[in-house]
Amino acid sequence: MSFLLSTSRLVLRDWQDSDLEPWVAMNADAMVRRYFPTIASREQAIVEMQRFREHGERHGFTLWPLEIPGQTAFAGVVGLFRTPIEAHFTPCVEIGWRLAIPYWGQGYATEAARLALQYGFDTLQLAEIVALTAADNQPSRAVMARIGMQHNAADDFDHPRVADGHPLKRHVLYRIQHRDWCNPFMKHATESGHST
Ligand SMILES: CC(C)(COP(=O)(O)OP(=O)(O)OC[C@H]1O[C@@H](n2cnc3c(N)ncnc32)[C@H](O)[C@@H]1OP(=O)(O)O)[C@@H](O)C(=O)NCCC(=O)NCCS
């Protein structure tokens, strides 16, 4: 069965072979990769896409392609994945996002992230979801804050895959617990009087 989560203006769905070219182009963009140690070569992007496809097949969740009907079949990726590093907060499930520049500044990352959180808590019944990023990545931290995640400086850490001394070495960790999560879609339905 194919995977699909949607709101009135966006869709998170399974990977398709046709995602390859826009995925490669997005990861070759130095602005998109500003808070990553390097841009990704075509070969590196192919390997990463394959890794996300396999993660989805194995676990039933992954970083999913974000489609904006009427605009683009591939605006970037948003989703959930098992954190691939060892750190003081692992093992855990992480939420993440990466959008191509034309789709920044329109609320798509936040809206899709709320969908992914809903899936993680309602369907997967996760107790906690975390997010991590380079300390200077304010746009990503703003998404974390908008979806209700909390930052505790005591959780900050040095990313083990970033070279010592690199300006992106220091990372922040945000967390959200199932018990603290308020389903925004359910809230909207309740406010509209359509839910019991
Ligand atoms: C991180 C990233 C996804 C954030 O993108 P973003 O566009 O800032 O976030 P959103 O899609 O949630 O959009 C929010 C903005 O849209 C605005 N907006 C416009 N129309 C909106 C609407 N209809 N609904 C909600 N927000 C809207 C918001 O006011 C907000 O603007 P602000 O940043 O000026 O306050 C993006 O910067 C990115 O892909 N970066 C590169 C990859 C990366 O670093 N990923 C994270 C690695 S950990």
Side-chain angles (χ1 to χ4, degrees):
M1 197 178 78
S2 62
F3 181 87
L4 197 135
L5 294 174
S6 64
T7 69
S8 58
R9 62 177 198 153
L10 59 82
V11 174
L12 293 175
R13 57 160 176 78
D14 275 334
W15 285 88
Q16 301 166 357
D17 292 344
S18 55
D19 297 322
L20 179 63
E21 294 309 327
W23 166 256
V24 167
M26 182 176 81
N27 285 288
D29 186 322
M31 193 63 186
V32 171
R33 303 276 301 194
R34 187 172 162 204
Y35 297 106
F36 293 72
T38 60
I39 60 166
S41 67
R42 182 178 185 82
E43 292 67 31
Q44 288 168 327
I46 290 171
V47 168
E48 198 179 20
M49 176 170 157
Q50 190 54 32
R51 197 155 55 78
F52 290 134
R53 288 184 95 154
E54 285 170 6
H55 188 294
E57 284 157 19
R58 182 161 174 212
H59 299 293
F61 60 91
T62 191
L63 267 188
W64 297 290
L66 167 63
E67 186 166 329
I68 304 173
Q71 277 198 54
T72 182
F74 185 92
V77 291
V78 175
L80 303 167
F81 53 99
R82 291 184 177 276
T83 303
I85 57 169
E86 275 188 37
H88 69 86
F89 51 88
T90 62
C92 60
V93 172
E94 180 179 341
I95 187 167
W97 33 75
R98 201 180 307 169
L99 267 56
I101 291 176
Y103 309 103
W104 291 7
Q106 297 164 76
Y108 290 126
T110 300
E111 190 169 318
R114 290 194 175 115
L115 259 188
L117 275 190
Q118 181 184 23
Y119 188 77
F121 287 138
D122 285 355
T123 304
L124 301 175
Q125 288 292 311
L126 299 170
E128 180 183 70
I129 295 173
V130 308
L132 53 103
T133 191
D136 287 345
N137 191 344
Q138 292 302 338
S140 190
R141 295 181 66 163
V143 176
M144 295 171 196
R146 278 195 292 267
I147 63 175
M149 303 188 86
Q150 303 286 329
H151 172 232
N152 179 346
D155 275 331
D156 293 356
F157 67 104
D158 289 331
H159 198 293
R161 293 188 184 169
V162 179
D164 288 348
H166 193 287
L168 298 176
K169 180 85 178 166
R170 197 67 180 157
H171 271 57
V172 290
L173 182 83
Y174 283 63
R175 301 177 186 260
I176 185 168
Q177 269 79 38
H178 193 164
R179 64 172 179 271
D180 297 329
W181 179 68
C182 169
N183 182 336
F185 304 107
M186 192 62 76
K187 182 169 176 281
H188 177 74
T190 305
E191 283 169 353
S192 310
H194 296 312
S195 179
T196 53

